[in-house]
Amino acid sequence: MTEQKNELYLQNQSLEQNEGKGDDALFVSLLNSMQNVKWWFKNGDCGREYLAVKYFNEEENNYSLFYPEWLIQMKDGRLGIFDVKIDKGDSLASTKQQAKALAKRIEEMNAFAKSNLFFGGFIVKVNEDWYYNDSMDYQPYSDNPEAWKPFASI
């Protein structure tokens, strides 16, 4: 197994299993290079044992579950909940609904904890750089790059 730079490496697959998976492997490399990341976890995409966010899917006119891909524990104690948006076939309407639900859930978790320990949003890779958007009003990077922040600034 490849030596990890972060104190704790949690994942349901080894890093070697992610090799060849393009942007997932690049994102893992980015996380492992960040000095402020304590550990990260690649969330599953179904099942009760993984983190899911409930949202109203307007296209299907019912509630659906969305599984953000990454949980990232920062050394300062904050926990990031992120999803990488790389053409997965999701519609823009669905992505907007998921972004709103995730932002609302993070807001509720912070209110319950009486802190700002939780943060997150959607991530995109533009050329060689990664950006995130934590707004309830999601807009694709191509439509509004000013709404996106450099991921390295987390």
Side-chain angles (χ1 to χ4, degrees):
M1 176 118 176
T2 306
E3 183 179 324
Q4 300 303 312
K5 192 171 193 174
N6 298 323
E7 291 175 24
L8 180 62
Y9 169 78
L10 297 173
Q11 188 186 10
N12 54 356
Q13 301 174 32
S14 71
L15 181 59
E16 285 82 15
Q17 289 173 312
N18 267 327
E19 286 178 8
K21 296 207 176 173
D23 288 322
D24 267 358
L26 292 173
F27 191 68
V28 165
S29 294
L30 172 67
L31 291 174
N32 286 332
S33 72
M34 295 176 69
Q35 296 297 315
N36 58 340
V37 171
K38 185 173 182 180
W39 56 259
W40 56 266
F41 176 76
K42 176 85 163 82
N43 197 31
D45 57 9
C46 66
R48 297 178 77 147
E49 63 273 16
Y50 297 112
L51 175 69
V53 176
K54 186 177 176 180
Y55 73 101
F56 190 77
N57 185 326
E58 293 174 2
E59 294 169 336
E60 297 178 10
N61 200 34
N62 65 15
Y63 285 96
S64 296
L65 293 177
F66 146 65
Y67 292 82
E69 288 177 276
W70 300 96
L71 303 178
I72 304 166
Q73 177 74 55
M74 309 306 291
K75 289 183 178 175
D76 65 8
R78 296 177 302 138
L79 180 67
I81 305 169
F82 290 97
D83 195 64
V84 177
K85 282 295 165 195
I86 302 165
D87 190 18
K88 297 183 201 171
D90 295 339
S91 73
L92 180 56
S94 176
T95 299
K96 285 183 174 206
Q97 293 154 14
Q98 292 171 357
K100 186 175 184 176
L102 178 57
K104 184 177 180 193
R105 175 62 63 198
I106 289 170
E107 191 176 84
E108 292 168 348
M109 291 166 58
N110 282 329
F112 180 78
K114 295 182 173 99
S115 71
N116 285 318
L117 287 177
F118 303 97
F119 70 109
F122 287 81
I123 302 170
V124 295
K125 183 175 176 237
V126 179
N127 300 319
E128 298 304 312
D129 297 314
W130 296 86
Y131 297 90
Y132 77 99
N133 183 319
D134 57 2
S135 173
M136 276 197 201
D137 183 24
Y138 176 87
Q139 295 176 3
Y141 183 89
S142 57
D143 291 354
N144 187 7
E146 294 80 30
W148 294 77
K149 305 168 194 161
F151 185 76
S153 69
I154 66 165

